[in-house]
Each structure stands twice: as C-alpha cells, then as structure tokens.
Amino acid sequence: MPGAIGLGHFLLLSLVIFSLGMVCVLTRRNAIGILMGIELILNSANINYLAFAFYGGGKYDGQIFAIFVIMLAAAEAVIGLAVVLAIYQNFKTIDVDATETLSG
C-alpha cells in the first residue's frame, strides 16, 4: 500500500530524535538541558524497540525492552535531578562548567 507508514519511517523518526538528543547533550551547559537530551536519546531507542517489535513478527520483546528503558529513564531522571540540586546548593548555578573545581 503506497503511502503507508513503514519501518523506515520509524527508523528515520528515531534517527532525528536521537540526533536532536545528541546535539542537546553536546551543546548545552545547563545540567537540566543535558538531562533532557539524554531523555530524547532513550526515547529514540524506545521507538526503535517498538518498531522492530511491530514489524518483526509482533512479539512482545520490544515492548518489554521499552518498558525497561522507561523505568531506567525514570531512575536516571531522579538521580540526575538529585545531582543537579546538589550542584545548585554548592555552586548556586546549574552550569556544568562550574563543577570544574570538583576535579582533582
């Protein structure tokens, strides 16, 4: 059926979201912006898992992995925000360049 959404469309969408996440992680100095970029990268992996599960025979493996990644992202967000709060309490900023004094 021409014009139908196929696996290639999902892979392209995942690539775009992954690229946006990588740009966000590599260019941001704000710690919350970096965390948001990591979330975009994890969500692009979820799109791939679900697309391959759907087009690869309809098994539930991809959905299970996607749920696992969502749980991992939630834990990452909690730990990341705790680190951001600790950085803010010590340096009064969430700029990651301000943490250079932590290095030896």
Side-chain angles (χ1 to χ4, degrees):
M1 176 175 176
I5 296 176
L7 179 61
H9 294 96
F10 285 107
L11 294 179
L12 180 64
L13 175 66
S14 176
L15 177 67
V16 169
I17 292 174
F18 181 83
S19 300
L20 290 173
M22 282 301 291
V23 168
C24 190
V25 167
L26 294 176
T27 60
R28 298 286 177 177
R29 296 289 174 227
N30 186 329
I32 293 178
I34 293 171
L35 286 175
M36 291 174 64
I38 292 171
E39 294 292 329
L40 284 177
I41 292 170
L42 292 174
N43 283 327
S44 71
N46 280 341
I47 291 172
N48 277 342
Y49 281 134
L50 294 177
F52 283 121
F54 182 77
Y55 289 103
K59 296 180 181 176
Y60 295 107
D61 297 344
Q63 295 172 1
I64 292 171
F65 281 123
I67 290 171
F68 178 75
V69 169
I70 290 170
M71 290 188 303
L72 181 74
E76 175 261 335
V78 169
I79 293 172
L81 288 175
V83 169
V84 168
L85 284 175
I87 289 172
Y88 182 75
Q89 286 179 343
N90 288 331
F91 298 102
K92 301 299 181 205
T93 182
I94 54 174
D95 186 5
V96 292
D97 287 337
T99 60
E100 285 183 358
T101 57
L102 292 177
S103 63

